[in-house]
C-alpha cells in the first residue's frame, strides 16, 4: 500500500480532496513533497559543495596574493592594482549578472542553472591555473565569476524550496557556517599547495570539488522554478555591469596613481555613478526589471541587504591587507598565514548554526546591531597591531570578528529570504548576493586605494634616497610593501635600509585604512538599529507557500 505524505490526499492533490459537503480541505501541514522533505539535509550537504568552492577560491587567492605578486618564475609579478583587479574582475562579473542568473533560475529551473554555473566555474579554474600573465589571470577570474554568479543564488533558492519556514533559519545558519569552514580550508589548503606546487595549484584544487559536487547534485538535488517568471532585462544588466566596472576602475586607478584628482580617475568613477543612477531609473520604469525595486519597500529586506553590503565592505578591505601584514611584515609563510585565520573560521563554524537561538531570544535587530558593533570594535582593534605585537592579539581579534559575523549573516539572510514569496527565491537570493559582492568589491577598491595611497606617501622619501631608483622603477617600488621589499632584495646589502621603513610605512597605512573599515561597520550598525524590524519579517501573500504547479513538478522529479 502506497504511503501518503502528510497533508496530501491519496489522489495526489497537494491540497487534499474536498469534503463531501463541498467545503475546502484544511491547509496541509507540510507543503514540501515528502520525498524531498526526507532527504532535505542531504540536499543541503550537497549544496554546501557549491558554496565551498566559491568561498574557498577567494580565501585561497588572499593567501596566494603575495606569491602572485612575486616576479616570474615564482609568481606573475602582479602589481597592487593588478592584484585588486584579480579579485574585482571576479566580483564585478559575479555581481553584474547575478540579477539575470537569479531570474534564469526562477524561469528555467534552479538545478539546471546551478549545474551550468558549476561547469563554467570549473573551466575558469583550470584556465586561471595556467594563466601566463596578470592580464590573463584577471580575464580568467572573470570567467570564474560568470560561473559563480549562476551558483550562489541557486543554492539559497533551493534551500528555501526544500525546507519549510520553521527550519529555514537553521538551514541558512548551517549554510552561513559553511563559509567559516571554507575560510579555514582555503588559506590552509592554499598554504600547503604553495609550499609544494606552483601558484596555479590554488585554482586547480577547485576541479575535483566541482566534479564531486556535480555528480551529487545530479543524483540528489530536485529542480524547482517560478510558475510565473518575469522576462529578462538585458538593458538593466548592461547598465549595472558598465556602471560597476567604471566606478571600481576609477577608485583602483586613483590608488595606483596616488592622485584622485586625475581626470582618468574622477572621469571614470563619476561616469560609473551616472550609469548606476540610470540603472536605478530604468529598473523603476521597466515592466520586467532585473531587480524589483519594490522589494526595498520592505524594511526587513532593505535594512538586511544594506547591513550585509556594509559589513562586507569593511571586512573585505581589511582581509586584503591582513595577508600582507602577516606575510610581508611579520614574515609568516603562506601556510602559517592561513593557520592564523583558524580562529575566524572556527567562530563562524560554531556560532552561525546556533545564531537562530540568540535571535529567538533577543530578536534579529538586537543581534545584528551588536554583531555590527563588534565588527567595528575588531577592525578598530587592528590599530593595536605593530611590527612586534604578540600574534595572539590578532588571533583574539579574528575570533571575536568571526563570532560577530556569525550573528550577522544568518539572521540578515533569513530576513531577506523570508520577506519574499518562495517562488521568487532565486531573484531574492540574487539581490542578497549582489549587494554582498558589491560591498566586498568596493571595500577592496576603496580601502585598498587608501592603503596604497597612504603607503606611497610614507615610503616616498626613502625611495628618493636610493641611488639609481628613478622613473617607472621608483613608481612601481612605491606601490606596495611587497614591491618595495622586492626592490630592496634586488639591491642586496644596499637595500636593507629600505626594509624597516617599508614595514613602518605599511603599518601606518594599515592603521589609516582600518579607521575607514571601522566607520563603515558603525554605519552598518546604525542602519540595522534604525530600520531592521525587531520581530518576524512580514511576508507578502503567498510567501512560504509552494505554488501548486511547482509542487507537482518538484514531486515528480523527486
Amino acid at each position: 500500500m502506497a504511503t501518503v505524505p502528510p497533508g496530501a490526499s491519496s489522489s495526489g492533490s497537494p491540497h487534499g480532496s474536498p469534503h463531501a459537503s463541498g467545503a475546502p480541505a484544511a491547509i496541509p501541514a507540510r507543503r514540501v513533497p515528502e520525498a524531498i522533505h526526507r532527504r532535505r539535509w542531504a540536499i543541503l550537504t550537497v549544496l554546501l559543495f557549491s558554496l565551498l568552492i566559491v568561498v574557498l577560491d577567494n580565501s585561497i587567492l588572499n593567501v596566494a596574493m603575495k606569491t602572485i605578486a612575486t616576479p616570474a618564475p615564482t609568481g606573475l609579478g602582479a602589481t597592487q592594482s593588478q592584484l585588486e583587479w584579480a579579485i574585482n574582475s571576479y566580483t564585478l562579473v559575479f555581481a553584474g549578472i547575478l540579477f539575470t542568473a537569479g531570474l534564469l533560475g526562477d524561469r528555467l529551473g534552479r538545478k539546471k542553472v546551478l549545474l551550468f554555473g558549476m561547469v563554467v566555474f570549473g573551466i575558469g579554474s583550470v584556465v586561471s591555473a595556467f594563466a601566463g600573465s596578470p592580464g590573463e589571470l584577471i580575464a580568467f577570474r572573470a570567467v570564474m565569476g560568470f560561473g559563480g554568479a549562476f551558483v550562489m543564488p541557486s543554492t539559497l533558492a533551493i534551500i528555501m524550496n526544500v525546507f519549510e519556514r520553521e527550519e529555514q533559519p537553521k538551514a541558512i545558519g548551517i549554510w552561513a557556517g559553511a563559509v567559516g569552514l571554507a575560510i579555514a580550508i582555503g588559506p590552509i589548503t592554499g598554504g600547503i599547495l604553495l609550499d609544494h606546487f606552483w601558484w596555479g595549484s590554488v585554482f586547480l584544487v577547485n576541479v575535483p570539488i566541482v566534479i564531486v559536487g556535480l555528480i551529487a547534485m545530479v543524483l540528489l538535488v530536485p529542480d524547482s522554478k517560478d510558475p510565473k517568471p518575469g522576462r529578462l532585462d538585458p538593458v538593466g544588466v548592461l547598465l549595472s555591469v558598465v556602471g560597476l566596472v567604471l566606478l571600481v576602475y576609477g577608485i583602483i586607478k586613483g590608488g595606483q596613481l596616488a592622485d584622485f584628482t586625475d581626470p582618468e580617475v574622477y572621469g571614470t568613477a563619476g561616469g560609473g555613478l551616472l550609469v548606476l543612477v540610470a540603472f536605478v531609473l530604468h529598473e523603476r520604469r521597466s515592466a520586467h526589471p532585473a531587480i524589483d525595486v519594490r522589494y526595498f519597500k520592505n524594511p526587513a529586506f532593505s535594512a538586511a541587504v544594506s547591513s550585509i553590503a556594509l559589513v562586507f565592505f569593511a571586512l573585505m578591505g581589511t582581509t586584503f591587507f591582513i595577508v600582507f601584514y602577516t606575510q610581508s611584515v611579520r614574515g609568516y609563510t603562506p601556510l602559517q598565514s592561513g593557520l592564523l585565520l583558524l580562529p575566524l573560521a572556527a567562530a563562524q563554524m560554531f556560532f552561525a548554526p546556533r545564531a537562530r537561538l540568540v535571535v529567538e531570544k533577543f530578536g534579529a535587530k538586537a543581534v545584528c546591531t551588536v554583531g555590527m558593533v563588534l565588527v567595528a570594535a575588531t577592525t578598530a582593534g587592528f590599530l593595536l597591531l605593530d611590527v612586534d605585537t604578540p600574534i595572539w592579539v590578532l588571533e583574539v581579534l579574528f575570533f571575536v570578528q568571526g563570532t560577530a559575523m556569525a550573528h550577522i549573516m544568518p539572521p540578515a539572510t533569513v530576513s531577506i529570504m523570508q520577506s519574499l514569496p518562495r517562488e521568487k527565491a532565486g531573484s531574492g537570493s540574487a539581490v542578497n548576493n549582489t549587494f554582498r559582492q558589491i560591498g566586498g568589491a568596493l571595500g577592496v577598491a576603496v580601502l585598498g586605494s587608501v592603503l596604497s595611497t597612504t603607503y606611497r606617501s610614507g615610503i616616498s622619501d626613502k625611495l628618493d634616497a636610493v641611488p639609481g631608483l628613478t622613473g617607472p622603477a621608483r613608481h612601481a617600488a612605491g606601490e606596495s610593501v611587497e614591491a618595495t621589499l622586492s626592490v630592496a632584495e634586488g639591491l642586496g646589502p644596499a637595500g636593507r635600509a629600505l626594509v624597516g621603513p617599508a614595514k613602518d610605512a605599511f603599518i601606518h597605512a594599515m592603521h589609516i585604512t582600518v579607521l575607514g573599515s571601522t566607520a563603515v561597520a558603525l554605519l552598518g550598525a546604525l542602519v540595522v538599529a534604525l530600520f531592521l524590524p525587531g520581530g518576524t519579517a512580514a511576508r507578502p501573500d503567498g510567501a512560504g507557500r509552494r505554488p501548486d504547479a511547482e509542487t507537482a513538478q518538484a514531486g515528480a522529479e523527486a
Side-chain angles (χ1 to χ4, degrees), residues 185-212:
I185 292 176
I188 295 171
T189 304
I192 294 173
L193 291 171
L194 291 172
D195 277 352
H196 296 87
F197 305 101
W198 93 114
W199 63 267
S201 60
V202 302
F203 297 108
L204 210 58
V205 73
N206 292 332
V207 177
I209 302 176
V210 168
I211 293 173
V212 172

Side-chain angles (χ1 to χ4, degrees), residues 153-381:
S154 299
T155 59
L156 264 181
I158 292 171
I159 287 173
M160 298 301 290
N161 277 272
V162 300
F163 285 91
E164 293 292 3
R165 180 177 174 85
E166 61 272 12
E167 284 189 321
Q168 287 169 1
K170 181 178 181 181
I172 290 176
I174 294 173
W175 182 87
V179 174
L181 176 63
I183 290 174
I185 292 176
I188 295 171
T189 304
I192 294 173
L193 291 171
L194 291 172
D195 277 352
H196 296 87
F197 305 101
W198 93 114
W199 63 267
S201 60
V202 302
F203 297 108
L204 210 58
V205 73
N206 292 332
V207 177
I209 302 176
V210 168
I211 293 173
V212 172
L214 284 171
I215 295 171
M217 288 170 190
V218 169
L219 296 176
L220 285 175
V221 176
D223 207 354
S224 62
K225 60 184 178 181
D226 184 354
K228 297 179 181 178
R231 294 164 54 194
L232 298 182
D233 180 21
V235 175
V237 171
L238 180 62
L239 288 173
S240 66
V241 172
V242 172
L244 286 169
V245 169
L246 288 175
L247 175 62
V248 179
Y249 175 83
I251 294 170
I252 293 176
K253 197 66 177 177
Q256 182 183 0
L257 298 175
D259 182 9
F260 284 88
T261 63
D262 187 279
E264 183 180 2
V265 175
Y266 66 73
T268 51
L273 287 173
L274 290 176
V275 174
L276 290 175
V277 170
F279 166 72
V280 173
L281 295 175
H282 169 77
E283 296 303 289
R284 291 181 62 183
R285 297 174 181 175
S286 175
H288 47 90
I291 175 174
D292 191 340
V293 294
R294 291 175 298 178
Y295 292 164
F296 291 92
K297 293 181 179 179
N298 186 338
F301 182 87
S302 55
V305 165
S306 300
S307 67
I308 287 176
L310 291 169
V311 76
F312 270 86
F313 182 103
L315 289 178
M316 287 298 291
T318 302
T319 304
F320 184 78
F321 66 70
I322 280 296
V323 173
F324 289 97
Y325 171 75
T326 56
Q327 294 185 42
S328 299
V329 175
R330 301 302 297 267
Y332 290 98
T333 66
L335 176 57
Q336 292 170 332
S337 183
L339 290 171
L340 290 175
L341 290 172
L342 277 176
L344 177 69
Q348 288 196 58
M349 289 173 59
F350 180 81
F351 289 110
R354 296 165 174 81
R356 74 187 192 282
L357 303 176
V358 185
V359 172
E360 289 172 1
K361 186 173 182 179
F362 298 104
K365 177 191 290 240
V367 173
C368 287
T369 301
V370 172
M372 294 292 287
V373 171
L374 281 178
V375 168
T378 54
T379 55

